[in-house]
Amino acid sequence: MVVLEKNATNYSGNALDGSLETALDLHVPDELAGLRLDQALARMLPQYSRSRLQEWVRQSRVRVNGAAAQAKDKVWGGERLELWIEHDVPGTVSAAQAIPLRVVYEDASIVVIDKPAGLVVHPGSGNPRGTLLNALLHHAPALSNLPRAGIVHRLDKDTSGLLVVAKTLEAQTALVRQLQAHTVCRVYVAFVVGTPTSPGRIEAAIARHPVARTRMAVAARGKAAVTHYKVLGSGKGWSQLECRLETGRTHQIRVHMQSIGHPLIGDPVYGGTRLVRQLPAFARDFHRQALHAARLELQHPANSAPLSFTSPLPDDLEALRSELERHAAAG
């Protein structure tokens, strides 16, 4: 795949207001023969949603063998695709901000960040600035040319720990494919109410809550979700778990642990007042969900070399663990 950068021009040469474009020139692999154009694009460019790709086709931003096409058109392998992918101009929506970042690893393809609790990953309603994305644009301005500034997976605002960010379109595509293939290993440390049977596996689909739209819930109509866990330590009313994600749904660990009656300590959304009463008083007042992304393993997107990163418990979770263990020892 050849990637050509074009700033503020479209395929007809007309200036665009408030946008940057990346021109892609690629060919349809033979194994995608028989698929609709939008389906083939979704397979080839998994970092973009299918609805966004369909919109680009409707906007004539996609040409097949030099001609305009429709999303429903079939491809048979070997076709030349030309795409003009629109991005926001830095500063129009997401501005660079000098927010400190803890960089665990960085090279020309990726950067691995150890995110603190309280930092939102991506701008959204109520958080237009002061996010990890804003910090990344200051740290590496070239990320403004990538969708979502290279972000390929997220952590909740009050979840701390490791996440990887792509620095090139090729790296972003490779990382998204690894995530879709479930070959990225993401291991979390969680402190929960009670003591679940260990080891355990939770397989329960997750969807948007039918009433409380800011929440997620276990639902048969949802997307498949699998969490593996084991107990690392426990005391009266609590346990420290290691959780490994097989999938990566929104709020997955929080929802799954609540679904088996062991919500995370400090979780303001999925905590459950009745269950939390069994915790020591100091743990009932913990200020965030007790969840930390402690280990991240993946293949380097440029050379497939195995990479492994770890992050120790942050000070607040280390203090919680110490207090819980001290309380357990005191009986």
Side-chain angles (χ1 to χ4, degrees):
M1 182 173 72
V2 178
V3 180
L4 305 174
E5 297 297 334
K6 292 186 178 181
N7 290 343
T9 57
N10 63 15
Y11 60 83
S12 63
N14 298 323
L16 294 175
D17 293 330
S19 66
L20 292 174
E21 287 195 344
T22 299
L24 299 183
D25 187 352
L26 58 161
H27 290 80
V28 178
D30 291 341
E31 60 265 27
L32 300 185
L35 293 181
R36 288 167 48 116
L37 174 60
D38 58 345
Q39 293 172 328
L41 287 170
R43 298 278 189 91
M44 298 167 70
L45 299 168
Q47 68 269 37
Y48 302 107
S49 68
R50 187 170 169 185
S51 61
R52 193 174 191 188
L53 291 166
Q54 290 171 333
E55 180 63 24
W56 287 337
V57 174
R58 285 193 292 271
Q59 294 173 349
S60 297
R61 291 179 174 274
V62 180
R63 292 195 175 191
V64 180
N65 292 332
Q70 298 183 52
K72 66 181 181 180
D73 292 347
K74 294 287 184 70
V75 295
W76 301 106
E79 293 93 339
R80 181 191 178 194
L81 302 184
E82 299 168 273
L83 295 86
W84 286 266
I85 298 172
E86 185 178 6
H87 310 300
D88 295 318
V89 170
T92 59
V93 175
S94 298
Q97 291 180 270
I99 300 169
L101 289 174
R102 183 183 177 195
V103 176
V104 176
Y105 174 86
E106 184 170 16
D107 60 23
S109 298
I110 62 172
V111 55
V112 178
I113 303 295
D114 194 343
K115 186 187 85 69
L119 180 63
V120 174
V121 170
H122 195 279
S125 177
N127 296 286
R129 294 171 62 84
T131 70
L132 175 65
L133 186 146
N134 298 112
L136 287 167
L137 292 177
H138 181 269
H139 175 77
L143 290 175
S144 62
N145 293 319
L146 297 182
R148 298 176 298 280
I151 295 169
V152 294
H153 66 118
R154 302 187 187 188
L155 297 176
D156 296 337
K157 174 183 176 182
D158 288 326
T159 297
S160 53
L162 298 167
L163 74 166
V164 61
V165 176
K167 295 179 67 177
T168 68
L169 189 62
E170 291 84 356
Q172 190 171 32
T173 300
L175 289 173
V176 169
R177 286 174 175 161
Q178 288 184 50
L179 288 163
Q180 291 179 331
H182 310 312
T183 58
V184 177
C185 179
R186 289 169 288 172
V187 178
Y188 293 71
V189 173
F191 293 85
V192 303
V193 179
T195 302
T197 302
S198 178
R201 180 179 186 270
I202 305 170
E203 182 173 2
I206 293 175
R208 185 73 58 184
H209 194 284
V211 178
R213 304 302 291 173
T214 59
R215 299 179 56 181
M216 308 301 288
V218 168
R221 72 183 190 286
K223 294 182 179 179
V226 179
T227 303
H228 302 265
Y229 69 86
K230 64 181 178 181
V231 175
L232 301 179
S234 63
K236 185 177 180 181
W238 65 274
S239 295
Q240 179 181 348
L241 307 183
E242 178 184 278
C243 299
R244 180 174 61 83
L245 293 181
E246 188 172 312
T247 57
R249 308 305 177 200
T250 301
H251 299 176
Q252 179 172 318
I253 293 174
R254 300 166 65 188
V255 172
H256 272 176
M257 296 316 300
Q258 181 206 41
S259 74
I260 63 170
H262 298 285
L264 269 63
I265 291 174
D267 195 326
V269 178
Y270 305 101
T273 304
R274 180 182 60 82
L275 293 170
V276 170
R277 288 174 184 161
Q278 64 187 282
L279 292 171
F282 65 85
R284 292 198 296 268
D285 296 331
F286 196 68
H287 61 283
R288 68 167 173 112
Q289 66 257 15
L291 185 62
H292 179 67
R295 191 165 82 244
L296 178 66
E297 297 176 0
L298 60 130
Q299 290 185 330
H300 193 283
N303 57 28
S304 298
L307 300 175
S308 180
F309 308 97
T310 59
S311 170
L313 286 179
D315 291 345
D316 61 344
L317 288 183
E318 186 61 48
L320 175 67
R321 184 188 62 80
S322 296
E323 283 295 304
L324 289 170
E325 290 181 346
R326 185 187 61 79
H327 185 269

